Amino acid sequence: MLRDIFGQAMEAMKHNGRRTAITIIGMAWGIATVVLLLAYGAGFGRAFETIFAQFGTNMIGVFPGRTSEQAGGSKAGVQVRFQMDDVERIQETVPGILHVSPVMWKQVPVQNDLHTYTWDVNGVTAELQDIQRMEVSEGRFLTAADLMQRNHVAVIGSEAKSKLYSGMFPLGQKIRLNGISFEVIGVLKAKMQEGDDNINRIVYIPFSTMGDLKDIKYIDGIWMNFNGNHTEVERALRNTLASSHSFRPSDRNAIYVANIMEQLSQFRIISLGLQALLLFIGALTLGIAGIGLMNIMLVSVQQRTREIGVEKALGARKRHILMQFLAEAMVITGIGGVAGIALAYAVSKTIVSIKFYSAIASNADAADIHLLISPNSVIVATVILVLVGMISGMIPAIQASNLDPIEALRYE
């Protein structure tokens, strides 16, 4: 029976070929819009994930500040100072911590035989490579042995290499940091860099050797990575440092915490909101196509009134008429849906990427927006399409099934 119903639907569509084709194009355009908007939203979210991922997401940095609340007998305004004991305390007492690295920084003259620049030099431990996902393009990163032996070795950023050595091989070359000689042992892969940001110009040396450039009794900051819930880790970190430095954990000015996962979570909320908005816009577009389908089906019911009367006179029941017109609407919807999804895939393959972060940052092509058509996007779009098709087809189908057979036969 279903075969007969769909056969009748196909015959009716052929009889009004031009009108049917226009309706199918409208449905295809609507479903393609939904899929592409969802793909754009997914690509937008992925771009933000890529930007954060280059530094590591499960990462927290903590930096000393000045108290703004009274704690015990201490007045507000006390300078908090970190020492190496804090690094060990964090590693031992904060749950979920994987690696911890103290960081010292200072701007000093960086020289070789041909050039002189003033750049940031960071004194770090070997753990920072894992914490901040530092990838080495040439040579190696700092090791525990470099720290123990206070080796005068340096790892330079990609931009530092190009400015100091142009096309020359940098490994084994000597540079002078504030007049002190260091050997270049590694070059880092380029990270995304906005404007005049110095991320690719930083020179990294062993934390112990940093004592030749600066007093390292007090630490400028501490970086760490972790497993688990970022909110709980941050809370435990604040409690640990508050206890050891006699300030209240609620005092946000005593220490400054850069919780990368918290920032990423905020951007994820923005991304989800954008995707919901784009889905709503796409659904409206598809709804307009559905109104076109409903209009065409209502015209079809009017033109075939006598045919409906004959069918009812010959014994056709309401459900048969209902299914006949609903099937016609769903066939149009199905053909339009397949064509629209195919069109969306074709557009996504044609448009490789849409400039986003690379418009303001170098080395940032990976953070551009790529149209990502996922199975979930197709499923969501298909569900919306089926709902629109059923609603658009149901109203004319109900009208057709409710026609009085005698009045239908008299219709001219």
Side-chain angles (χ1 to χ4, degrees), residues 306 405-412:
R306 286 181 62 84
I406 298 175
E407 293 297 326
L409 288 170
R410 289 176 178 172
Y411 184 81
E412 294 294 338

Side-chain angles (χ1 to χ4, degrees), residues 83-98:
Q83 294 182 289
M84 284 301 295
D85 290 345
D86 293 303
V87 176
E88 297 172 5
R89 190 177 294 109
I90 289 170
Q91 183 76 72
E92 293 171 0
T93 62
V94 178
I97 295 296
L98 300 176

Side-chain angles (χ1 to χ4, degrees), residues 246-315:
S246 302
F247 64 84
R248 293 183 177 180
S250 60
D251 191 346
R252 296 284 167 170
N253 294 320
I255 57 172
Y256 300 102
V257 178
N259 191 333
I260 306 303
M261 273 303 298
E262 182 178 355
Q263 297 174 25
L264 180 58
S265 298
Q266 293 171 355
F267 279 109
R268 283 174 175 167
I269 293 172
I270 294 172
S271 177
L272 286 174
L274 176 64
Q275 290 184 55
L277 175 63
L278 293 176
L279 177 60
F280 177 71
I281 294 171
L284 286 180
T285 304
L286 191 55
I288 293 171
I291 292 173
L293 172 62
M294 186 188 301
N295 183 53
I296 293 301
M297 293 304 300
L298 287 171
V299 172
S300 179
V301 170
Q302 185 178 15
Q303 290 179 341
R304 295 162 62 187
T305 300
R306 286 181 62 84
E307 176 188 331
I308 295 169
V310 171
E311 290 179 0
K312 286 198 167 186
L314 294 175

Side-chain angles (χ1 to χ4, degrees), residues 78-234:
V78 176
Q79 178 70 49
V80 176
R81 296 181 182 273
F82 292 160
Q83 294 182 289
M84 284 301 295
D85 290 345
D86 293 303
V87 176
E88 297 172 5
R89 190 177 294 109
I90 289 170
Q91 183 76 72
E92 293 171 0
T93 62
V94 178
I97 295 296
L98 300 176
H99 303 98
V100 184
S101 174
V103 180
M104 298 289 293
W105 56 77
K106 184 179 182 180
Q107 276 203 341
V108 302
V110 179
Q111 303 169 297
N112 64 359
D113 294 336
L114 300 175
H115 305 283
T116 300
Y117 301 97
T118 300
W119 290 336
D120 278 345
V121 175
N122 286 9
V124 301
T125 63
E127 286 78 10
L128 193 69
Q129 182 179 18
D130 290 322
I131 295 170
Q132 295 191 354
R133 293 186 182 177
M134 295 179 170
E135 297 184 49
V136 178
S137 61
E138 299 177 60
R140 65 175 178 85
F141 197 71
L142 306 172
T143 63
D146 292 324
L147 271 79
M148 290 184 63
Q149 299 167 13
R150 300 188 77 253
N151 290 339
H152 280 220
V153 293
V155 177
I156 62 177
S158 59
E159 187 181 349
K161 172 201 167 183
S162 63
K163 286 183 177 294
L164 288 170
Y165 300 108
S166 299
M168 295 171 56
F169 186 67
L171 301 185
Q173 300 285 346
K174 298 291 184 179
I175 58 173
R176 294 184 299 279
L177 306 179
N178 208 22
I180 302 172
S181 180
F182 284 76
E183 179 186 347
V184 177
I185 60 169
V187 178
L188 297 175
K189 286 186 178 179
K191 289 185 178 289
M192 300 177 193
Q193 176 179 332
E194 292 184 29
D196 198 38
D197 187 7
N198 71 340
I199 185 66
N200 291 315
R201 294 195 300 268
I202 297 174
V203 178
Y204 297 90
I205 64 174
F207 181 83
S208 55
T209 315
M210 188 71 179
D212 294 343
L213 305 180
K214 179 181 180 179
D215 184 1
I216 59 174
K217 179 181 179 181
Y218 297 113
I219 301 169
D220 291 327
I222 303 171
W223 283 103
M224 65 207 77
N225 60 354
F226 61 90
N227 278 331
N229 184 281
H230 66 92
T231 304
E232 294 176 1
V233 172
E234 181 180 340

